Amino acid sequence: MNISYSPLGFLISLFFIVTFLAPQVKSRAFYVFGDSLVDNGNNDYLVTTARADNYPYGIDYPTRRPTGRFSNGLNIPDIISEAIGMPSTLPYLSPQLTGENLLVGANFASAGIGILNDTGIQFVNIIRISKQFEYFEQYQQRVSALIGPEATQQLVNQALVLITLGGNDFVNNYYLIPFSARSRQFALADYVVYLISEYGKILRNLYELGARRVLVTGTGAMGCAPAELAQHSRNGECYGALQTAAALFNPRLVDLIASVNAEIGQDVFVAANAYQMNMDYLSNPEQFGFVTSKVACCGQGPYNGIGLCTPISNLCPNRDLYAFWDAFHPTEKANRIIVNQILTGSSKYMHPMNLSTAMLLDSSRI
């Protein structure tokens, strides 16, 4: 089935959400956990190389300045916030996250992290998922001091949560170097089983911390990132090893989510098929208004896939024509395509329901 993207289509989806759904979910907080795909700037407050604090990051953000987002503009959490009629969540480490701002929610994500604690060790000082959850507990204590424990529990239980993990466990761990420690410890299929087992613990922990509506994104098309093409591709083909990893990981993640939901007795967790969302526009870039899905807008070397996006990197003049912003991360336009499927996508993309359906269900219970 061919699927095309248009700004008009996204605006219609957004109008539906804002007009019919957002008003029914009064003061719904939004919490974000995960890696660089969803980090709103926490790493700017850390001594780490995993940062997006230099020009031209943020070139299309409303302030036209870098914000710590690994994007030319808005990232996935920003666009979800836009859709549900709420301001973007602040990074948890931001000094601005005080008072009434706490009630909007918080972004705990940190570039470089994964499911496993040894993922991203080369970045040294990043907020691993266990620490993100510690901060979430600390956040709840801070909110409790502001509005009381009962109102805090209600705020957290009624919140929307997004968690994005897994990609770095392959890119920045298993396949980081030849004969990595994890690749010597596990065959790929066994590594995936181990990752899923550990992810199950994370999701159950998140439920114990009060989350009752959680979007869980699978890994994207990791092998198609410009960084991987620059290292492994002769003719622009995606790197097969990482594509195989995604093909093994994502179905098991859907099965895990179904299993955890069955344990709980309700559909708390919703799986988003980020791989298929990516492959739609990567396979047919022209259909979505892109001139390329292989070359990054910002970078250097083959496919602009070598090294970081810096002030002296090659920079495309029109980011809307590129699927990739830098060597690993989508442009704002690509992020909007992804969020459009999260909001209204069929079972090909969302299981057991899309976000619009989940919000309608939730609004009837609140």
Side-chain angles (χ1 to χ4, degrees), residues 45-220:
Y45 300 94
L46 305 173
V47 180
T48 178
T49 55
R51 293 163 70 108
D53 59 347
N54 59 268
Y55 176 87
Y57 284 99
I59 190 171
D60 299 308
Y61 193 76
T63 60
R64 302 294 187 264
R65 297 174 63 86
T67 63
R69 292 164 173 82
F70 287 75
S71 173
N72 61 299
L74 302 182
N75 63 12
I76 288 169
D78 293 320
I79 300 165
I80 291 175
S81 291
E82 185 181 85
I84 64 175
M86 296 290 283
S88 289
T89 53
L90 289 168
Y92 186 68
L93 298 183
S94 169
Q96 297 175 39
L97 189 67
T98 59
E100 294 292 312
N101 285 340
L102 287 163
L103 305 184
V104 173
N107 186 308
F108 301 89
S110 177
I113 75 143
I115 296 166
L116 305 180
N117 282 332
D118 58 294
T119 291
I121 55 173
Q122 70 273 29
F123 302 124
V124 186
N125 192 19
I126 51 180
I127 312 169
R128 306 194 183 283
I129 194 63
S130 56
K131 187 66 176 179
Q132 291 185 28
F133 286 175
E134 283 182 37
Y135 281 150
F136 189 34
E137 291 182 271
Q138 186 183 90
Y139 161 88
Q140 293 187 44
Q141 292 166 5
R142 292 172 63 190
V143 174
S144 185
L146 190 69
I147 63 173
E150 287 185 15
T152 298
Q153 183 178 353
Q154 185 178 41
L155 183 76
V156 171
N157 289 164
Q158 294 177 358
L160 177 65
V161 179
L162 170 67
I163 185 166
T164 296
L165 291 172
N168 283 324
D169 294 287
F170 296 102
V171 174
N172 283 308
N173 193 331
Y174 194 86
Y175 289 110
L176 177 63
I177 56 172
F179 309 110
S180 68
R182 287 298 189 183
S183 68
R184 283 182 279 115
Q185 181 184 8
F186 292 105
L188 178 60
D190 296 329
Y191 183 63
V192 168
V193 171
Y194 176 56
L195 286 180
I196 292 295
S197 174
E198 293 301 302
Y199 209 168
K201 297 173 187 176
I202 289 167
L203 296 183
R204 292 177 182 94
N205 194 355
L206 191 51
Y207 179 80
E208 290 300 316
L209 290 171
R212 295 295 181 268
R213 175 63 70 203
V214 185
L215 291 172
V216 185
T217 64
T219 64

